[in-house]
Amino acid sequence: MTKHLVMLGLLLAGSVTMASAQAADGKTVYDAQCKKCHGATGTPAGAMAKRFPKMPAFDAAFLAKRSEDSIVTILTKGKNADMKSFKDKMSANEMKAVAKYLHTLGK
Ligand code: HEC
């Protein structure tokens, strides 16, 4: 019995480790942290587009001017009042993953 419980514990510990490794998946991060303002496909729509008129669409023209590194810088420092810094909410790996994901949206 005890032996079985130990085995179960090991199995659970294994799946928790896998879940946190997956947290650096760009789409998962985007859907959790960015989608509500920037829209599911990176083009602000509806109420959010009205509320944040300066919010850019992540299209090819925009992304041509923003490297993945410069997006990480924006995520670290924030921009103006509404694009807040995410440095307390995301790891460096998550920022890199979401920057990479933005570039896939612009294609
Ligand atoms: C509360 C709404 C909100 C959330 C959440 C949000 N953003 Fe923004 N974002 C904005 C607004 C508004 C701007 C325009 C800022 C400006 O130029 O004044 C912006 C601008 C940007 C820009 C362009 C900055 C530039 O001019 O180069 C990038 C890139 C960006 N956001 C990425 C993200 C990513 C990635 C996330 C998720 C981790 C995110 N944003 C979450 C509102 C938001």
Side-chain angles (χ1 to χ4, degrees), residues 29-30 33-38 48 51-52 54-56 58 62 66 71 74-75 79-84 86 90 98-99 102:
V29 175
Y30 184 88
Q33 311 262 23
C34 324
K35 189 167 93 172
K36 64 172 188 252
C37 293
H38 285 279
M48 282 301 175
R51 182 164 156 202
F52 302 122
K54 281 189 293 182
M55 190 161 52
F58 301 139
F62 175 82
R66 296 288 187 282
I71 293 171
I74 290 160
L75 292 175
K79 189 178 180 193
N80 297 331
D82 299 312
M83 178 61 207
K84 305 252 186 289
F86 280 83
M90 283 186 188
V98 82
L102 286 199

Side-chain angles (χ1 to χ4, degrees), residues 14-96:
S15 38
V16 168
T17 315
M18 271 175 66
S20 49
Q22 279 167 359
D25 174 61
K27 182 176 175 7
T28 308
V29 175
Y30 184 88
D31 288 352
Q33 311 262 23
C34 324
K35 189 167 93 172
K36 64 172 188 252
C37 293
H38 285 279
T41 59
T43 303
M48 282 301 175
K50 286 208 188 78
R51 182 164 156 202
F52 302 122
K54 281 189 293 182
M55 190 161 52
F58 301 139
D59 56 13
F62 175 82
L63 293 163
K65 295 181 284 177
R66 296 288 187 282
S67 65
E68 288 174 19
D69 283 353
S70 73
I71 293 171
V72 170
T73 304
I74 290 160
L75 292 175
T76 308
K77 297 188 178 163
K79 189 178 180 193
N80 297 331
D82 299 312
M83 178 61 207
K84 305 252 186 289
S85 163
F86 280 83
K87 74 174 188 303
D88 299 329
K89 292 188 182 161
M90 283 186 188
S91 68
N93 277 342
E94 287 170 331
M95 288 185 186
K96 276 187 208 143

